Structure formats: structure tokens, C-alpha cells
Amino acid sequence: MPPKTKEKGKKTGAQKKKQNAGADVEAKSAHRRTVLEKELLQDHLEMCQREAEAARQEAEQALGERDQTLAQLQAHVADMEAKYEEILHGSLDRLLAKLRAVKPQWDGAVLRLHAKYKEQLHQFGLNPLDL
């Protein structure tokens, strides 16, 4: 009789097939899980990209509206400045016209007052040029 050998480390063909089948099931399961996770992440990424695009468009629209409002306000301020300048120049022109009309009367009144005070100083014995 041949000597008995230990065959603990060796497995039969049926056992190997079961192990291979179990490993295949695990691999397929892991692969399927990975594919599902990938699809889920791609869906989430697509949703985030849509939200980002919508937010970008909304921001662009808000900036456009702000720029338009700013341009309108600047035009309004420029128009108000022009009107204010026109009113100011008109008022100053009328004031100058009134001053020109009154100036001869003031010059006459000033000369009369000057002569009167000069005479009063002479009456007190004072020379107006010494003051």
C-alpha cells in the first residue's frame, strides 16, 4: 500500500468551482455597486452643473439690470447737472444785469457820502489822508 499523504491543502474541482463562483458573484456585485455609484455621482454632477448654470445666468441678468439702472441714473444726473447749470447761469446773468443797472446810482451815492465825510473831517480839523 502506498503511503498516505496529507491532502489538506488540496481542494477538489467542485470546491474550486464554488470558490470561483463565490468570487465571481462578489466581483459582479462590487462592479454593479461601483457602476451604480458612478451613475449616481454623474446624475448629481449634472444637477449641480444645471444649478450652477442657472445661478450664473441669474447673476448675469442681475448685473445687466444693475448696469442698465446705473446708466439711466448717470444720464439723469447729467441731465440734472445741465439744467442746474442753466438755471445758475440764468440767475447770475439776471443778478449781474441788476447790479449793472444799480451801479451808477451806487457810484453817485458813494461819491456823495465820501464828500460828506471828508467835509466833516475837515470841520474837526482832521486830514482824511492822515487816517
Side-chain angles (χ1 to χ4, degrees):
M1 233 198 232
K4 292 185 181 179
T5 58
K6 295 182 181 177
E7 295 188 23
K8 286 185 179 179
K10 296 181 182 180
K11 297 186 179 177
T12 63
Q15 288 176 338
K16 288 182 183 179
K17 286 182 184 178
K18 284 183 185 178
Q19 282 183 341
N20 288 342
D24 286 345
V25 169
E26 287 181 32
K28 286 179 182 178
S29 175
H31 177 69
R32 186 160 193 259
R33 190 173 343 140
T34 304
V35 169
L36 289 174
E37 287 177 359
K38 179 184 172 189
E39 288 175 1
L40 181 66
L41 289 173
Q42 285 177 338
D43 288 345
H44 184 70
L45 175 65
E46 186 176 333
M47 289 174 194
C48 289
Q49 287 174 340
R50 286 182 189 164
E51 290 175 7
E53 179 64 21
R56 186 190 62 77
Q57 288 176 354
E58 186 178 322
E60 284 180 1
Q61 182 180 357
L63 286 174
E65 290 173 1
R66 184 202 66 180
D67 291 344
Q68 182 181 5
T69 302
L70 185 61
Q72 288 174 347
L73 289 173
Q74 287 173 338
H76 185 66
V77 166
D79 185 49
M80 289 177 63
E81 285 177 354
K83 288 179 182 179
Y84 176 76
E85 188 175 345
E86 183 180 324
I87 291 169
L88 182 63
H89 284 295
S91 297
L92 291 174
D93 289 344
R94 286 192 297 277
L95 180 62
L96 283 173
K98 288 180 182 179
L99 288 174
R100 286 187 191 117
V102 175
K103 188 176 185 308
Q105 296 171 0
W106 283 355
D107 289 344
V110 167
L111 289 176
R112 284 190 301 277
L113 286 174
H114 182 65
K116 177 183 171 184
Y117 291 131
K118 186 176 178 181
E119 181 61 34
Q120 286 178 351
L121 288 173
H122 281 299
Q123 288 176 356
F124 291 113
L126 299 171
N127 184 3
L129 297 176
D130 292 340
L131 300 176

